[in-house]
Amino acid sequence: MTVNSIAAAKSIIQSQLLQASGLDVEIVMLDTERIEEYKTSHVRGSAVIYYAGSTYADESSGSSIVRQNRNMRIGVFVQVRTEHGLTYKDGIVDNIINSCAGLKFTAITKADRVKPVSDEYMSPESQEKYAYYEHLIIFLVPAQFQQNQNIN
C-alpha cells in the first residue's frame, strides 16, 4: 500500500486493527463527530481512528520541485467500559500497539514504517465519563509530500 494522504494513513491503521487477533472491541473510523464527544455503544468498547495532524520537514531544496517529509499523527482513541477492568483496557492498548508498530508501507519515494510515539491514560473529566476507561495512542505515519501543481 502507498501512503501519501490522510485517508491512506488512517486506512493502513484500520486494516491492521481489523486483522488483529484478540482485539474484541469495535474498530471505528471517526468521520462525523469530534473525538472529545465520542461515546461508544459497543458492549466492550471501541478503538476510534482519527487524524491528529502532521509536521513537515524539508527534504529537497531544489527550485524545480517541492518534496517534504510529512509525519502524519494518527490517533487511536481507546474507550473501554469500566466493568471490564483496567487489565482488560491495558491488554487492548498493548494489542493495538503491537499490531501496528513497525507496520511497513510504501511512501512516494521510499518504504517506511508506522511508529508509536505516545500513549496515555486520559482521566475522566466528568462523572458521566466514569463509565469508561479512555486511553489515547498516537502513531507516526511518515510519508512524503510532493507538489503536483505549477503556476506559470
Side-chain angles (χ1 to χ4, degrees):
M1 168 178 241
T2 300
V3 175
N4 60 2
S5 68
I6 296 166
K10 292 190 314 185
S11 179
I12 196 170
I13 299 291
Q14 181 185 36
S15 295
Q16 195 65 19
L17 294 181
L18 288 171
Q19 295 173 29
S21 61
L23 195 57
D24 56 353
V25 294
E26 178 183 35
I27 309 301
V28 179
M29 189 82 75
L30 187 70
D31 60 356
T32 59
E33 59 190 309
R34 296 169 46 100
I35 192 65
E36 299 86 2
E37 298 167 358
Y38 182 82
K39 291 286 178 253
T40 186
S41 60
H42 192 270
V43 67
R44 287 178 295 280
S46 61
V48 185
I49 302 158
Y50 70 99
Y51 174 65
S54 292
T55 57
Y56 297 84
D58 283 335
E59 183 180 88
S60 69
S61 57
S63 59
S64 62
I65 192 165
V66 172
R67 184 177 295 131
Q68 290 181 305
N69 289 327
R70 179 181 187 186
N71 293 312
M72 289 183 268
R73 294 185 317 276
I74 303 300
V76 179
F77 178 65
V78 178
Q79 194 174 64
V80 173
R81 296 189 183 276
T82 56
E83 61 262 22
H84 298 291
L86 280 172
T87 302
Y88 177 79
K89 188 267 304 173
D90 292 346
I92 295 295
V93 169
D94 281 342
N95 195 339
I96 290 170
I97 291 170
N98 292 334
S99 296
C100 295
L103 182 62
K104 190 172 183 176
F105 61 91
T106 305
I108 292 175
T109 61
K110 62 185 188 301
D112 228 316
R113 295 186 183 273
V114 172
K115 302 168 189 87
V117 292
S118 69
D119 74 274
E120 67 178 295
Y121 173 72
M122 302 172 69
S123 298
E125 295 172 5
S126 65
Q127 189 66 30
E128 73 174 23
K129 288 191 173 187
Y130 287 140
Y132 304 99
Y133 293 123
E134 297 177 334
H135 202 98
L136 178 60
I137 306 164
I138 299 290
F139 290 99
L140 190 67
V141 181
Q144 203 169 61
F145 168 80
Q146 184 171 318
Q147 77 180 44
N148 59 7
Q149 296 181 20
N150 285 317
I151 299 175
N152 295 331

